[in-house]
Amino acid sequence: MSAAGGSDGAGARAVGAATPAAIGVGALAGLLLRARLRSTWGSVRARPFGAPAVLLLFGLASAAAYTGLFAAALGAIGARAGGPQAQAAVLGLMAGAVALASLGAKSSGEGLFAGSAETEFLLARPVSLGRLVAARALCAAVAEPFGTLFLLPLLMAAALAWELPAAVWLVAIATSALAQTTITATSQALQVAVVRWVPRARRTSLFVVLRLGAAVTMAGAWVAATWVLRAPAEVARHLDELQAWLDFTPVALLTGPLAAYRGPGGGAAALRALVPLGLVAAASVALAVGVARRAGLRGWEEAGAPWAETGATAPTGAPLTLVRREWRLLARDRPRLAALVALPLLLFGVQVVGSVGWSVVGASVGRVATLVVSIVVYLGALGPLGHMQHERRAFWILRAAPVSMGRLLAAKARAWSALLGGAALLLFVPLALGVPGASPSAVAGGLGLVLGAAILTTVLAVAIGAAAADLSDDGQAALGPGTVYLFLFVAGLFNVVVQVHGWDRARLVTLYTGAVIVLWRAGVARMGACLDPEARAAPRPRSTDAAILVLIAAAAPLALERGLARVEISAGSAAIAQVVTILGLGLASLAVLGVGSSSSVLRATLIGLASAAAARVLAPLAFGIGPTTTFPPATWTRPEVLAVAALVACADELVWRGVVQGAFERELTTRARGGDRTGARWGAAVAALLVAGLAARPSPGGTSTIVSWLAVAIAPAAARAASGRVLAAVVARLLLLASL
Amino acid sequence: MIETVGLTKRFGDKLALDRLSLAVEPGEVMGFLGPNGSGKTTTIRLLMGLLRPTAGSARILGLDCHADGLALKRVVGYLPDEPFLYPYLSGREVLELVAGLHGMTGAEAKRRAERAAADAGLGEAASAYTVTYSLGMKKRTALAMALIHDPQVLILDEPTNGLDPRGAREMRDTIARLAAGGRTILMSTHLLEAAERLCRRVAIIRAGVLQAVGTPDELRARFAAAPDTSLEDLFLHVTEPGPS
């Protein structure tokens, strides 16, 4: 215990000469680094397309994107506001914000808590706390090259904007590494001090405060970044006062080496400028070691661990129901409750004073509604989406009770929709009333929309959280980042409902409600089997695949159109964006469907051919389309346009006949008595056509366009129903396209 | 009362349970024995409808364990191997919640929870958050949860696992009392002495395959063991690694 305890080396002196010397800081840092890198590499190798690999790729891609964006912003600021001085000031602002946010995040993290498995594992070995703290600080220099919030890409962006040679990247890497060491050491010193000297009863509250502080600094970094990217000209106007303010902060240590490289001294000057940062890093490591030695392990072993709550008793209250249970568990989970209250407010603040600005947000009731819906979506991700993660290993209690999964999920949805609805109400009403010239009817209409959004978002979050839950492996999180992003994307599409009007809004609300019902049913089914590791292998396409694709196919073109109109993009570029969206949906459908068997390719092709021929013959009779009918515009005679049209047609078929009709077929076949596959196939064709019709945008052509759409859609749907293969639908669609 | 026919569960390539056919008579206490990883917990989870069988069927009181899941849970009590509880609910609150889930109204749920907490010997700790409980207290709370609706059938997965000698003795006494009350109990355990004392018959499973079922005397006769052969020796003989 003494070796792992307070004083370095004491344990080693107390034991005999045969005992090996305690591991040094450098060796320990090397071990930690190797373990971390191997663990990362192992997780990627084990699941090349799993979450770790995706996260790694996402991190690298984001870092590259940040580098490009900030290089462009710095270039714009340099051009408008007097060159390198102004750029250096902006770099200082951003580097300072990022470093502060990183420090805040690490200080409030749980990496050093005794509850952390790695800390317990290491402190159970002959490793002193001081050495562990120092080794971790050194390890951070290499193991976290991008920093928590991309400090290195920021420095790289400056190097690119200043057109410095590639050798300066080494200076940027060294700066980032020293900064990470300083940040890690300082945050550990802070955590050790809190654990050692703050009474246990106040420690949880203090960590909640630290987390809120971290959230504020993160929001600050976000505001600074969006301000620089959104309005470089406005930033440039404030640079003099900014520079004067930055002169009093340590950010010069971060920007100094790169700025020195640009001067007459070159590389030597940059190295000299690195020395103060190196000294600060060494001092912060020494501080962390000193604090750790002074603190020892006293108090440490129970920091953040559940058994630290010994003696806590529950206040008496009404008997628990399923709904009250949700509220009570949330009220007693103070960090989660604080995040749920604080983060939406921070997001709101960021939107209003940062990335968008009040003049834009408060321009109309519709925009206020959009902001509130966005915040409700974030609340959904923070709250109800994680319900199964919070059940985790205690879920057996509910699973072994005589309560249907549907009732259980409904109770969760009721509990959370009250909270999200309340938040939407509190945010929307004062803001909407503050919009100049807002009529009561507009405010009431907007309120109805945001309350509807709150309820639908809650139901969607509960359903997606249940559908994604896999509690069969205690070592795995019930909720992965992919599920969170999927929820944010699908729930965020409700903003399109808010922004459109009339028939577009009616059909989107209908589709959205239908999709939520489908996802809810999938959630109920999955929740009942979430303890079974074999239950996930449901065949595709699933009804949930279809529901999500339908929503995206219906809402994404509208969202894209409105978004592109705001940035005044050309009609050609807008068309390209729409085509890319459809092709993307086609690729997603292909990923869902996979490559089918080649056993009945000839049959499917012949059925497609026959369907197209029948459609071409019957169209004049059924819809009044003449044999010489062609679809405008005339540019469709050009081969490259035809090729794109063919690709779009294929993508369309993969979505509607492949995934949507396929999912209906599967669903109807399962329900059909006696496994009537033929009836199910034709029923699926009709159902998919109805959904596709609802999702299709009304175009200026009116009835004639609807007739043309039907003529083009019915033949592939029939081909798919007759053959059971999407290939037949693709063949029919392409032949129809060629003939028209 | 409890009956499985050809019950099979496969996890990917691994056959966790292979065509288990077993019957527990009304009022009987049956010990379910087997080495670690032999399929005991999988069987119990299948009986509770927590897993879906790959093949075969399981019925309790005539109810299909998968298709009639809700009805089944009204008449069966379940104690899992590792009874995790909501850390920031008190023992009393968890008991009230479970009583509510069994359809008891507020006052009735409170009364049942109080009685169950008292029967489980939680005392003052009933008001404390379960995160502060020892494993023994968690097991007692979980057993109280399993009994709160007065079930006819009890399924206990390693009820004495991880308990200290006093806790294990108390748990055994509680099970004996429940058995004397006429409940049907299927209990998996590693404690063979306790199994011999508590159970009329034992079933021994290895690598997902039922090896033997009967009273200890029947098993001794079947495997040509001396009358004084302990159940432990018999168990080791039956579960000896080798072809099933």
Side-chain angles (χ1 to χ4, degrees):
Chain A
M1 185 65 192
S2 62
S7 55
D8 281 0
R13 281 195 299 277
V15 294
T19 307
I23 188 169
V25 170
L28 182 57
L31 275 178
L32 290 177
L33 182 61
R34 278 202 296 278
R36 198 165 295 182
L37 294 180
R38 276 187 191 172
S39 168
T40 305
W41 177 235
S43 65
V44 172
R45 275 185 62 195
R47 294 169 62 202
F49 300 104
V54 171
L55 281 178
L56 192 65
L57 275 179
F58 181 73
L60 290 172
S62 305
Y66 271 94
T67 304
L69 282 171
F70 278 108
L74 286 174
I77 286 166
R80 293 180 197 184
Q85 281 301 106
Q87 289 172 324
V90 172
L91 178 64
L93 170 73
M94 282 309 305
V98 164
L100 194 62
S102 186
L103 179 65
K106 284 201 168 184
S107 300
S108 62
E110 294 182 351
L112 288 172
F113 284 8
S116 138
E118 192 193 61
T119 302
E120 279 202 2
F121 168 75
L122 290 168
L123 291 180
R125 320 291 144 189
V127 173
S128 72
L129 184 58
R131 288 185 183 197
L132 176 59
V133 162
R136 275 192 170 151
L138 293 181
C139 177
V142 183
E144 298 174 26
F146 296 104
T148 311
L149 290 170
F150 307 117
L151 182 61
L152 179 58
L154 194 61
L155 298 172
M156 294 284 205
L160 286 174
W162 291 338
E163 295 175 352
L164 297 176
V168 84
W169 290 11
L170 291 174
V171 176
I173 289 168
T175 307
S176 175
L178 289 171
Q180 291 306 326
T181 302
T182 309
I183 289 167
T184 307
T186 310
S187 63
Q188 288 184 106
L190 183 63
Q191 285 200 336
V192 172
V194 168
V195 168
R196 170 65 181 86
W197 287 289
V198 174
R200 196 171 56 203
R202 294 187 193 156
R203 213 179 283 148
T204 307
S205 304
L206 188 63
F207 272 114
V208 170
V209 171
L210 278 175
R211 279 181 197 163
L212 290 179
V216 170
T217 53
M218 289 262 196
W222 180 256
V223 168
T226 49
W227 188 41
V228 169
L229 292 173
R230 178 173 59 92
E234 191 191 332
V235 174
R237 279 203 303 278
H238 293 87
L239 284 179
D240 284 343
E241 41 192 293
L242 185 66
Q243 187 61 60
W245 180 76
L246 286 175
D247 285 343
F248 292 100
T249 67
V251 294
L253 291 171
L254 299 174
T255 57
L258 278 188
Y261 197 99
R262 294 180 63 239
L271 286 178
R272 278 197 299 278
L274 275 171
V275 172
L277 183 58
L279 290 174
V280 169
S284 59
V285 173
L287 172 73
V289 171
V291 170
R293 280 188 177 178
R294 180 120 176 84
L297 286 185
R298 195 173 151 196
W300 179 263
E301 52 272 282
E302 57 184 31
W307 53 88
E309 307 280 347
T310 327
T313 54
T316 53
L320 277 186
T321 60
L322 282 170
V323 172
R324 272 195 220 118
R325 183 192 70 115
E326 293 287 332
W327 291 339
R328 210 171 280 183
L329 286 174
L330 174 65
R332 289 175 188 174
D333 190 347
R334 280 177 286 173
R336 188 166 161 231
L337 183 64
L340 208 60
V341 173
L343 287 185
L345 291 177
L346 286 171
L347 285 168
F348 172 73
V350 165
Q351 291 287 315
V352 171
V353 302
S355 54
V356 180
W358 172 246
S359 60
V360 175
V361 170
S364 68
V365 173
R367 287 191 178 168
V368 169
T370 304
L371 171 67
V372 173
V373 170
S374 302
I375 290 173
V376 163
V377 170
Y378 280 114
L379 270 173
L382 286 171
L385 183 65
H387 65 97
M388 291 304 282
Q389 181 67 38
H390 293 287
E391 297 283 356
R392 288 302 291 161
R393 302 174 87 181
F395 185 63
W396 70 271
I397 296 173
L398 301 180
R399 192 68 186 82
V403 178
S404 71
M405 291 297 112
R407 197 182 135 204
L408 181 56
L409 275 194
K412 285 168 181 272
R414 277 208 308 280
W416 282 100
S417 60
L419 299 178
L420 264 65
L425 186 77
L426 287 176
L427 284 169
F428 178 79
V429 172
L431 285 176
L433 291 176
V435 172
S439 68
S441 62
V443 173
L447 182 62
L449 269 180
V450 297
L451 289 180
I455 293 168
L456 272 181
T457 300
T458 307
V459 174
L460 187 69
V462 170
I464 288 183
D470 179 1
L471 304 188
S472 65
D473 182 358
D474 288 336
Q476 260 188 348
L479 199 70
T483 309
V484 178
Y485 288 127
L486 177 72
F487 167 74
L488 287 174
F489 184 63
V490 175
L493 284 177
F494 196 85
N495 264 326
V496 185
V497 177
V498 175
Q499 287 171 16
V500 297
H501 300 279
W503 169 241
D504 272 339
R505 181 177 285 174
R507 67 189 182 85
L508 283 185
V509 166
T510 308
L511 288 172
Y512 212 94
T513 309
V516 168
I517 291 170
V518 167
L519 288 162
W520 177 267
R521 289 182 55 224
V524 170
R526 171 66 201 164
M527 200 178 179
C530 67
L531 294 166
D532 190 342
E534 294 302 298
R536 188 168 277 278
R540 294 189 122 162
R542 300 173 194 141
S543 55
T544 49
D545 299 327
I548 290 168
L549 272 177
V550 166
L551 262 190
I552 298 172
L558 288 167
L560 204 59
E561 184 184 275
R562 301 178 83 80
L564 294 176
R566 256 183 223 168
V567 292
E568 294 171 6
I569 204 166
S570 70
S573 304
I576 290 172
Q578 297 280 12
V579 166
V580 167
T581 306
I582 297 173
L583 294 181
L585 285 172
L587 281 176
S589 303
L590 197 59
V592 166
L593 295 168
V595 180
S597 80
S598 57
S599 61
S600 53
V601 167
L602 182 62
R603 181 171 170 271
T605 308
L606 289 175
I607 289 175
L609 195 71
S611 301
R616 201 65 185 103
V617 171
L618 293 175
L621 302 173
F623 302 115
I625 298 175
T628 56
T629 302
T630 57
F631 289 106
T635 50
W636 279 37
T637 51
R638 287 164 55 183
E640 66 272 20
V641 177
L642 275 176
V644 171
L647 279 175
V648 167
C650 288
D652 209 35
E653 288 310 312
L654 287 171
V655 173
W656 293 109
R657 257 56 71 183
V659 175
V660 179
Q661 194 169 329
F664 270 121
E665 270 178 22
R666 195 174 294 286
E667 191 79 10
L668 294 175
T669 307
T670 313
R671 288 158 174 252
R673 291 178 184 219
D676 177 14
R677 290 183 67 88
T678 310
R681 279 182 182 173
W682 288 99
V686 173
L689 275 175
L690 287 174
V691 174
L694 202 56
R697 297 181 60 191
S699 46
T703 314
S704 65
T705 317
I706 295 171
V707 167
S708 306
W709 179 86
L710 272 175
V712 170
I714 286 177
R720 155 99 211 202
S723 67
R725 298 287 301 266
V726 70
L727 175 66
V730 171
V731 169
R733 177 74 174 265
L734 289 178
L735 286 174
L736 267 180
L737 187 73
S739 73
L740 289 169
Chain B
M1 187 65 95
I2 301 176
E3 185 183 24
T4 70
V5 180
L7 192 63
T8 303
K9 180 64 185 177
R10 189 177 276 283
F11 295 117
D13 294 335
K14 182 179 162 50
L15 188 59
L17 195 64
D18 189 7
R19 289 165 291 169
L20 176 75
S21 294
L22 188 68
V24 184
E25 303 302 325
E28 180 182 9
V29 181
M30 177 179 273
F32 196 40
L33 316 179
N36 290 334
S38 58
K40 299 188 298 296
T41 297
T42 299
T43 305
I44 284 179
R45 292 181 142 221
L46 284 163
L47 286 173
M48 284 308 298
L50 303 179
L51 297 177
R52 183 193 290 263
T54 310
S57 68
R59 302 180 84 82
I60 298 178
L61 292 168
L63 298 164
D64 186 283
C65 293
H66 191 73
D68 307 316
L70 288 188
L72 181 114
K73 287 163 191 169
R74 291 197 184 97
V75 291
V76 177
Y78 168 54
L79 173 70
D81 178 16
E82 295 179 70
F84 290 94
L85 307 172
Y86 294 104
Y88 291 102
L89 291 183
S90 67
R92 184 179 290 112
E93 284 176 327
V94 180
L95 288 166
E96 282 173 8
L97 173 68
V98 175
L101 294 175
H102 279 280
M104 293 167 211
T105 54
E108 171 70 0
K110 243 179 160 41
R111 195 180 60 77
R112 288 275 193 128
E114 285 296 344
R115 201 182 69 191
D119 288 349
L122 290 181
E124 292 289 310
S127 301
Y129 292 142
T130 62
V131 70
T132 63
Y133 285 12
S134 65
L135 179 61
M137 284 168 73
K138 282 183 182 170
K139 285 239 175 192
R140 275 187 278 155
T141 308
L143 185 62
M145 288 156 66
L147 293 170
I148 203 160
H149 56 298
D150 201 12
Q152 298 172 54
V153 178
L154 273 174
I155 295 182
L156 312 176
D157 193 0
E158 308 277 8
T160 50
N161 197 18
L163 298 182
D164 60 26
R166 182 178 298 279
R169 166 72 66 88
E170 285 171 2
M171 182 63 82
R172 280 201 303 273
D173 292 347
T174 306
I175 295 169
R177 262 200 322 275
L178 293 168
R183 286 187 172 85
T184 305
I185 300 175
L186 177 69
M187 174 180 80
S188 82
T189 182
H190 283 302
L191 297 182
L192 302 176
E193 190 192 331
E196 190 158 18
R197 203 178 308 156
L198 285 171
C199 306
R200 190 176 74 81
R201 291 192 302 156
V202 295
I204 301 177
I205 185 173
R206 178 169 73 84
V209 178
L210 185 66
Q211 303 292 321
V213 59
T215 64
D217 287 340
E218 284 169 355
L219 295 185
R220 283 184 195 102
R222 180 177 159 188
F223 292 99
D228 60 344
T229 306
S230 69
L231 187 58
E232 182 177 320
D233 287 336
L234 208 54
F235 173 83
L236 291 174
H237 172 71
V238 172
T239 59
E240 196 174 6
S244 312

